Amino acid sequence: MRLLIKGFGLLLAPIAWRFDRALQNPQVVQAKVQQQLVDRLIQSEYGQSLDVKSYADWDQLPIVTYDDLPSFDQLTSEPILFYERTSGSRGAVKRIPYTKSLRRSFSQMFCVWAYDLIQHVPFTTGKGYFCVSPKLGVISEFIVDRVNYDPPKSPFLRGTLNPFPVPPFLRGARGDRDCRNKRQSNALQTDADYLDRWLTWLLSPFLVTLPNAQTLQDPEEFKYKLSLRLLQEEKLEIISIWNPSFLKVILDYISANRSTLQSQLPTNRSQLLNQPEILWQQVWPHLKLISCWDAAGAVDQANSLRSLFPHVLIQGKGLLATEAPLTIPLFAAPGCVPVLDEVFFEFEDGAEKIWRLHELQVGLEYQLIISQKGGLYRYRMGDRVRVTHYYHQTPCLEFLGRSGGVSDMVGEKLNPDFVRDVLQELQLAGGFKTLVPVRDPAHYVLLLDGELDAAELDKQLCRSYHYAQARSLGQLQAAQVISRSDMAEIWVKMRMQNGARWGDVKDEILVSQPIVLDLDRLLGN
């Protein structure tokens, strides 16, 4: 197997070397990517509506958010393969279109990352589990042209995905309008599904897969089957997840359900679960890498994994979004370098001035604006980054968190616009209402001077796609409600005790950073 891993590295080497050369001349490489995007834009209805005729017309393109976008059919002349869900701002769900070119961008990023790992981590089995958060309890929409339908052929999809008519509750919505003659599905069940077919085929001997994962709807069944599958794989070397809390949930599930799991394992494996405190390094003695978010709101959870796996490399993913691959961690950097040969980057400073990649200054913070090959042009990501240093001639970027007041403890990405809409629809009495993120365990608390059933609040918050996923997996506990007639006054006092000045305390619909609540004071004890 070691020879296969080395052979795989040799195959990826030209892509990695080309990327390394690109890092040495970011201005030229970014100009080339920008020209490629302009050529695509000119062929689209969107570009024609903006009268884009050449590279010189770039600055006339508006900087947009998801809610500003027209029909996706207008954004790209390339066929849309499928739509992937992510949480929206005002709407509960965004659907990001994937084209062959965008998937190739993810593949190129993966090749560079994999080559770098092979050069620096002594893998011997290459066995890896790659997972994004599963689509549990979500209706799988699959809208397709019945005549031109070509079922996806992927080693990660078992059987055929069957098309069905647009459900009544979607008719007339963005999903119906944008997906005519297209495919829409929750198709991405593992990180590997982001990649081109040739790459998934090469990876298939190394993948630890959960059969029929895309059909599982019950969270407990998913956790049971995944836990059992991972426990069966003694030679597991790589775990790739997004939020580190996902793995912590699985480890806690194994600890709590060890007797049930032991009955399905061979003796040599089941005995490893007998200790009062399971030694995870003994469970997976070959484990060498856990790839996950480790910045901003994920710092504490990533550090928790480091304490559980002291001999394993916990490597941050950098900035990887549903919309595009953005940065890659490189050992030689050391830090996260932008995927500058696939995505065009622009950066907005505090004075709302736009800068190009090669113009960034070390230590400064910027709002991220991207243009990618799936049809998103000058798209405001809602992410804040800081330049830590330069590698070759390219700035390394550290993810600082979401902008616009987004709260994101475990990947739930709650947006104040969405929360405001939810609370308005609940028609709350009273005037004060603030949703607060709280850790240990992670959950949300609504502070208000009226009345509301906590179960109804949690139900409405679950309209947000990523919040619902975090709740179903147990990464978030149920939302709570604390009501007092003098809540506004109590809130000001609490904030002042935490260092805020009276004049700076605002009525926030959503607090973006987790705080410690003084429950005795709030409950009047």
Side-chain angles (χ1 to χ4, degrees):
M1 191 62 76
R2 179 61 184 165
L3 290 176
L4 281 177
I5 296 171
K6 288 184 176 181
F8 186 52
L10 290 175
L11 185 65
L12 303 181
I15 299 172
W17 296 341
R18 185 166 58 248
F19 181 74
D20 188 72
R21 289 194 299 271
L23 296 174
Q24 300 174 34
N25 203 341
Q27 185 174 1
V28 171
V29 173
Q30 280 280 274
K32 181 179 178 181
V33 173
Q34 186 183 20
Q35 183 62 64
Q36 293 172 351
L37 292 169
V38 169
D39 293 341
R40 293 168 179 266
L41 183 58
I42 291 172
Q43 299 175 32
S44 70
E45 292 182 47
Y46 182 56
Q48 292 166 12
S49 70
L50 295 173
D51 199 29
V52 176
K53 293 184 172 61
S54 71
Y55 181 94
D57 296 326
W58 183 266
D59 289 337
Q60 77 184 47
L61 294 177
I63 297 174
V64 300
T65 65
Y66 182 86
D67 295 329
D68 300 322
L69 296 176
S71 165
F72 290 122
D73 287 332
Q74 299 175 25
L75 291 174
T76 177
S77 58
E78 189 176 0
I80 296 173
L81 301 177
F82 56 84
Y83 289 74
E84 177 64 355
R85 291 171 176 262
T86 186
S87 289
S89 53
R90 295 207 77 90
V93 175
K94 293 189 294 186
R95 294 177 176 87
I96 303 301
Y98 271 65
T99 62
K100 182 181 289 187
S101 296
L102 178 58
R103 189 154 62 180
R104 186 175 298 117
S105 294
F106 279 98
S107 293
Q108 295 295 301
M109 176 275 300
F110 178 86
C111 289
V112 173
W113 174 67
Y115 177 82
D116 192 55
L117 286 174
I118 290 171
Q119 301 310 304
H120 293 90
V121 181
F123 296 119
T124 56
T125 72
K127 289 291 184 179
Y129 171 69
F130 295 79
C131 182
V132 298
S133 296
K135 281 70 175 179
L136 300 173
V138 177
I139 294 176
S140 179
E141 301 154 9
F142 199 73
I143 303 168
V144 66
D145 180 340
R146 293 174 179 270
V147 176
N148 298 320
Y149 174 55
D150 176 23
K153 301 175 181 64
S154 166
F156 307 102
L157 295 177
R158 303 290 184 258
T160 301
L161 295 175
N162 295 319
F164 56 84
V166 181
F169 63 86
L170 278 179
R171 289 174 188 156
R174 180 190 296 271
D176 185 5
R177 174 166 48 88
D178 291 346
C179 296
R180 289 192 185 98
N181 304 324
K182 305 290 182 186
R183 306 173 191 176
Q184 176 178 326
S185 77
N186 296 320
L188 303 184
Q189 294 295 329
T190 73
D191 282 352
D193 290 337
Y194 279 93
L195 309 178
D196 288 336
R197 290 176 182 174
W198 70 269
L199 197 49
T200 57
W201 181 81
L202 286 174
L203 285 171
S204 58
F206 304 101
L207 293 180
V208 177
T209 59
L210 181 61
N212 301 315
Q214 71 274 19
T215 67
L216 299 178
Q217 295 290 299
D218 179 70
E220 293 304 306
E221 181 185 8
F222 171 79
K223 286 187 281 189
Y224 170 75
K225 290 188 174 180
L226 177 58
S227 297
L228 185 60
R229 181 67 188 93
L230 293 178
L231 289 171
Q232 291 169 341
E233 190 53 63
E234 179 181 358
K235 295 184 178 181
L236 186 69
E237 281 196 317
I238 303 167
I239 296 176
S240 177
I241 52 180
W242 283 36
N243 198 289
S245 65
F246 176 84
L247 180 56
K248 186 62 167 59
V249 165
I250 298 302
L251 299 181
D252 289 345
Y253 182 88
I254 292 173
S255 296
N257 297 274
R258 63 180 77 190
S259 59
T260 303
L261 293 165
Q262 282 178 307
S263 66
Q264 302 298 315
L265 294 170
T267 303
N268 67 317
R269 299 294 290 162
S270 66
Q271 290 175 345
L272 298 172
L273 305 184
N274 285 334
Q275 306 99 321
E277 290 290 331
I278 299 175
L279 301 178
W280 301 110
Q281 197 69 29
Q282 293 181 5
V283 175
W284 296 294
H286 298 274
L287 189 63
K288 295 182 175 66
L289 170 71
I290 298 176
S291 171
C292 62
W293 290 331
D294 72 340
V299 170
D300 291 341
Q301 291 286 347
N303 287 336
S304 176
L305 290 185
R306 290 187 174 97
S307 66
L308 292 173
F309 297 94
H311 303 297
V312 175
L313 170 64
I314 311 295
Q315 185 187 55
K317 279 189 178 296
L319 188 48
L320 180 64
T322 304
E323 290 87 347
L326 300 172
T327 67
I328 316 172
L330 290 182
F331 283 89
C336 295
V337 296
V339 188
L340 74 172
D341 57 346
E342 291 292 331
V343 177
F344 182 70
F345 291 88
E346 295 176 274
F347 301 84
E348 185 179 67
D349 65 14
E352 299 184 353
K353 183 176 180 181
I354 303 299
W355 301 88
R356 300 292 170 85
L357 183 62
H358 66 282
E359 299 173 327
L360 303 186
Q361 297 184 43
V362 173
L364 295 189
E365 299 180 13
Y366 301 90
Q367 302 280 344
L368 186 58
I369 299 165
I370 67 159
S371 301
Q372 42 88 298
K373 296 178 179 178
L376 302 182
Y377 302 96
R378 306 200 83 184
Y379 180 84
R380 191 180 293 278
M381 285 293 300
D383 294 323
R384 295 181 296 111
V385 297
R386 177 170 54 217
V387 180
T388 56
H389 60 287
Y390 270 68
Y391 173 64
H392 289 330
Q393 301 300 315
T394 300
C396 293
L397 305 176
E398 176 189 10
F399 174 60
L400 297 178
R402 301 286 294 173
S403 59
V406 171
S407 177
D408 192 14
M409 290 187 289
V410 298
E412 73 276 14
K413 302 178 184 178
L414 278 186
N415 186 285
D417 291 335
F418 169 73
V419 172
R420 183 177 293 107
D421 289 346
V422 164
L423 298 183
Q424 286 176 350
E425 291 173 17
L426 289 171
Q427 298 180 339
L428 301 179
F432 181 87
K433 42 189 173 292
T434 292
L435 189 66
V436 178
V438 180
R439 293 196 187 278
D440 300 323
H443 66 287
Y444 283 82
V445 177
L446 179 64
L447 309 177
L448 76 165
D449 54 8
E451 297 293 335
L452 178 65
D453 178 57
E456 181 61 23
L457 170 65
D458 197 62
K459 176 183 176 182
Q460 294 304 316
L461 290 176
C462 280
R463 288 163 41 200
S464 171
Y465 176 67
H466 280 118
Y467 181 92
Q469 291 298 306
R471 284 284 293 114
S472 68
L473 286 169
Q475 294 171 289
L476 282 178
Q477 300 299 307
Q480 299 177 9
V481 173
I482 299 179
S483 175
R484 283 188 54 146
S485 60
D486 59 347
M487 185 61 76
E489 179 183 354
I490 294 295
W491 176 247
V492 170
K493 290 180 180 179
M494 286 181 57
R495 297 299 270 176
M496 291 176 65
Q497 288 175 354
N498 285 296
R501 294 180 299 179
W502 192 316
D504 293 335
V505 178
K506 302 175 182 178
D507 290 344
E508 303 170 272
I509 201 74
L510 172 66
V511 176
S512 60
Q513 297 297 321
I515 67 172
V516 177
L517 289 179
D518 186 344
L519 294 180
D520 287 338
R521 175 182 291 273
L522 285 172
L523 296 174
N525 297 331

